[in-house]
Amino acid sequence: MIDHRGDPKVWESSPDPKGFRGKGGGRVHWGLAFVNSDVTLFRLCMWKWDPLFIRALVTAVHEYVITGSGANCKLARQQLKTRTSLLKHYIKHNEKYELQALYAIQVLMNQLGQPCGLLSQIFGILYDNNVISGKTFRIWEFSTDPDESEGRDAAVLSVRSFFIQLPTKEQLKLLTKRKLEVKTKNKK
């Protein structure tokens, strides 16, 4: 990562003021905290894109857009919507990265005490802004990975209404696509 002075080594030698689950993740997460400042986004392209990086990026973005604590957590919806382009850039519609993003959010919600309605709001924004596909949400919903079980049951229960609506949203997208195809054929 390059800081505002252009020194890519700054984060390598910096202490880890804020921990992150995973090997070496504290440094990654701490550096990514600066993504959320009002300063122009740093060049993250020097960082290795891997599941740990995706998790750290998603965690940092969501920590920034969530205010309050416990039951008083609130989502700054517009700020998250603004940052979806950053998330899309790094997740790149890669199912593996999308799943890592969902696991990172799951862990964060567990750390926050599963605030009522917060996860459902986040999922809605990530889905509506094409950051995470409906297919990946379904994979997460039915995941049995023991390494990703922390807070999973409570998280899945908290987004039941999201999953009830998900097929309808997928069907609407398909219908919209078909309407566009019909319009295109009619213009010819």
Side-chain angles (χ1 to χ4, degrees):
M1 180 167 177
I2 299 176
D3 76 344
H4 64 283
R5 295 180 310 269
D7 182 1
K9 297 295 181 194
V10 168
W11 311 122
E12 292 301 318
S13 61
S14 298
D16 297 342
K18 190 171 195 175
F20 181 75
R21 191 175 109 166
K23 189 187 244 181
R27 184 178 336 116
V28 172
H29 187 264
W30 184 60
L32 285 171
F34 292 98
V35 165
N36 298 318
S37 71
D38 291 331
V39 178
T40 305
L41 292 175
F42 297 110
R43 286 191 229 164
L44 298 173
C45 60
M46 293 187 67
W47 288 30
K48 180 180 175 188
W49 287 357
D50 63 7
L52 178 62
F53 170 77
I54 297 300
R55 289 175 89 122
L57 175 65
V58 169
T59 300
V61 166
H62 285 83
E63 283 182 340
Y64 182 73
V65 299
I66 296 171
T67 59
S69 61
N72 296 321
C73 285
K74 300 279 186 235
L75 178 65
R77 296 175 62 86
Q78 192 55 45
Q79 288 183 0
L80 179 55
K81 287 177 185 178
T82 300
R83 284 163 178 76
T84 57
S85 60
L86 172 71
L87 295 174
K88 281 196 284 193
H89 176 76
Y90 288 98
I91 293 173
K92 295 188 179 282
H93 300 289
N94 178 317
E95 191 176 284
K96 177 182 172 184
Y97 290 163
E98 288 179 359
L99 193 55
Q100 290 303 312
L102 293 176
Y103 288 143
I105 297 166
Q106 169 188 317
V107 169
L108 180 60
M109 292 300 107
N110 192 53
Q111 291 170 350
L112 294 173
Q114 304 290 350
C116 184
L118 188 61
L119 185 57
S120 194
Q121 290 178 57
I122 291 169
F123 276 18
I125 290 170
L126 296 178
Y127 179 77
D128 291 342
N129 289 278
N130 299 312
V131 177
I132 310 286
S133 70
K135 179 182 176 186
T136 304
F137 277 113
R138 290 293 182 194
I139 291 169
W140 174 83
E141 179 186 19
F142 295 108
S143 172
T144 57
D145 186 343
D147 293 335
E148 304 297 347
S149 63
E150 179 185 343
R152 199 186 90 66
D153 292 340
V156 170
L157 283 174
S158 75
V159 289
R160 282 177 43 204
S161 63
F162 171 80
F163 284 110
I164 290 169
Q165 295 174 8
L166 189 59
T168 305
K169 288 181 180 181
E170 288 293 323
Q171 290 168 354
L172 286 174
K173 282 187 174 185
L174 184 58
L175 182 60
T176 302
K177 182 180 176 184
R178 287 183 183 159
K179 284 181 181 179
L180 288 173
E181 289 172 355
V182 169
K183 283 182 181 180
T184 304
K185 286 180 183 178
N186 289 340
K187 286 183 180 180
K188 291 180 181 180

